[in-house]
Structure formats: C-alpha cells, structure tokens
Amino acid sequence: ARVTTIMAILKLNNTTVLTETNGVASIPSTVKFPAGHVIKKHYVEYNSQYQDLNCLNNLIYLNFQLDINPVSENSKFFIIANINAAAAMQHNYLTLRLYQTSPVNILLRGVQPMSFSYPYTFPTIMTYHHTPNTNNLITYKIGYIDTNNDSGDLYINQYNTNSIVQTTSINVFEFAS
C-alpha cells in the first residue's frame, strides 16, 4: 500500500503563516495578527435570582464580576453585557450600569430596564468599546441605582415564578490594536 502525504505551506513575503499536513492546519506562534483580530474572549455568568423590593438612591453591585488580565497594554475591548432585568411599573428611574471598578472606578454605560406590572425579566443589552491602556487587572461589574429614590422593585434573572432562572452575563472580546 502506498501512502501519499500532502503538505501545504502558505507564505507571505517569505514568512510562513500557515502549514498543513494530512488535513491538519497550524499557525506558527511567530505570526503577529493584524489590528482588529480577536485575541481572547472573556466571559462570566450570573445564574442567581435577585430581587430588590426597595431600591433607593445608592449604587448596588450585583454579586458577580469579570476580572481580566489584558494580553497587551494596547488591547481594545468590545463589551456585551446581557442583563435579564425588569423594574416594577411605577419604577421609572432605575438605571442598570456597567462599571470598570479596577484599577479605577469608571461608569462605562447606563440603561433603563423595561418596566412591567409583573416580575418577568427581559434581556437588557449594553455594549461598550473600551480602551483601558493597561496591563493591570481590570474588573467589570454590573450595578444599579434608583436616581429618583422612589423605592421601586428590581428583578434579575427571574420569571414570574421562582422555578425558571435566566442568566445574566458579561462578554468581553479582546482585540489586537
């Protein structure tokens, strides 16, 4: 029996960028990806139900966070926060907020959740393009505040019964710059 091995090498300007042997492709570690290439994905989920039936005008953080050690000081982040939330109908001044809490505390984005007369939660999406310019640990958190101090209700990850739990998450795509 005769075995035929086919090997392919892709070079750009005499630099090997891709090799293939027997159907298996590989990229050498010396290849530098262009700006805009995703170099790492970071992710955290919050699977617990949460209720605050007396929201006031003070910032509260949900009990989860995403800690990131950037691959490069020049990395850029595209953040997608998916928060399953609802506020009681009379609660029109509640704001969900995305924060960078480390190395410094910065409000990145805020949005009001949908308001309904039942505690059904719906996806509230926040996106943000962030350039932290650091190699230090970065922490992202989701918080909320009632800017009108009207003592309304907030529900996170909960349907109208406690039997169904939804998920809130923070996704960060780290890009080469």
Side-chain angles (χ1 to χ4, degrees), residues 65-83:
Q65 66 188 41
L66 179 59
D67 295 322
I68 296 174
N69 287 307
V71 172
S72 166
E73 181 177 345
N74 298 321
S75 291
K76 298 183 183 312
F77 295 157
F78 181 65
I79 305 166
I80 304 169
N82 177 19
I83 308 157

Side-chain angles (χ1 to χ4, degrees), residues 6-31:
I6 299 174
M7 184 173 164
I9 298 175
L10 177 62
K11 289 186 175 188
L12 299 174
N13 295 331
N14 276 341
T15 300
T16 300
V17 294
L18 181 72
T19 60
E20 180 273 331
T21 305
N22 293 327
V24 177
S26 63
I27 299 172
S29 62
T30 55
V31 172

Side-chain angles (χ1 to χ4, degrees), residues 130-151:
H130 192 211
T131 307
N133 294 321
T134 184
N135 278 338
N136 296 328
L137 177 74
I138 300 168
T139 300
Y140 294 108
K141 291 184 178 184
I142 294 172
Y144 65 91
I145 192 168
D146 179 355
T147 57
N148 197 42
N149 208 27
D150 64 2
S151 303

